[in-house]
Amino acid sequence: MSYQHILVAIDLSEDSKHLVDKAVALAAPLGADVSFIHIDVNYAELYTGLIDINMAETQHKAIEASQQQLQHLADHANYPIKHTLVGSGDLGNELCENISEYKVDLVVCGHHQDFWSKLLSSTRQLINCTPVDLLVVPLKD
């Protein structure tokens, strides 16, 4: 089996470069497309009404900042990046929608091997909902 489109789930930490390098190393010999996705916090869901804040403006600025960081990672990749996607909301739902829309057949994500990740791992959520192959890259802390 040969992968055609690899989607890298990025949290925008320093570890993201490691995930990008891993995805490019897989994609290059296959000539596969590579795309990045970052799912951000949905600020509207967190808003309690206790402070006066323009949610649309805050969300817009967060998306712009995330897009800039994804572009830096795309430059680092030294490989053509097909899409840099930024979403907000539930990680599993957003990821699965984009997998379907962009015809992704492999997702690359990282997993921190620390105490908190044993309790609150987003990787477990991806394992349970991702409809395509999933490469989980261990990230040492």
Side-chain angles (χ1 to χ4, degrees):
M1 168 176 207
S2 179
Y3 295 111
Q4 301 298 309
H5 193 178
I6 299 171
L7 182 64
V8 187
I10 294 177
D11 68 359
L12 301 177
S13 69
E14 275 300 310
D15 294 322
S16 298
K17 289 181 180 177
H18 181 64
L19 295 178
V20 169
D21 293 343
K22 182 72 77 168
V24 167
L26 286 169
L30 302 172
D33 291 330
V34 175
S35 294
F36 299 159
I37 188 166
H38 171 70
I39 308 300
D40 213 343
V41 174
N42 187 345
Y43 294 101
E45 290 178 4
L46 298 176
Y47 179 61
T48 62
L50 299 175
I51 56 175
D52 183 22
I53 188 169
N54 182 340
M55 288 311 208
E57 181 68 21
T58 302
Q59 191 79 19
H60 179 71
K61 286 181 180 179
I63 289 170
E64 279 185 354
S66 296
Q67 278 289 4
Q68 287 177 344
Q69 288 180 283
L70 288 177
Q71 186 56 53
H72 288 301
L73 288 169
D75 295 341
H76 165 82
N78 200 22
Y79 188 84
I81 303 304
K82 188 163 188 167
H83 303 286
T84 55
L85 309 166
V86 176
S88 65
D90 180 72
L91 176 64
N93 290 341
E94 289 291 320
L95 195 65
C96 288
E97 285 176 16
N98 283 284
I99 287 169
S100 176
E101 182 175 345
Y102 294 100
K103 297 179 179 31
V104 169
D105 52 4
L106 175 66
V107 174
V108 176
C109 70
H111 177 69
H112 291 275
Q113 296 178 325
D114 61 8
F115 172 76
W116 290 111
S117 294
K118 291 178 183 173
L119 299 175
L120 306 168
S121 174
S122 56
T123 304
R124 183 174 309 171
Q125 179 184 5
L126 295 181
I127 290 169
N128 288 326
C129 75
T130 305
V132 297
D133 291 356
L134 180 67
L135 173 62
V136 178
V137 179
L139 303 171
K140 305 227 187 281
D141 290 321

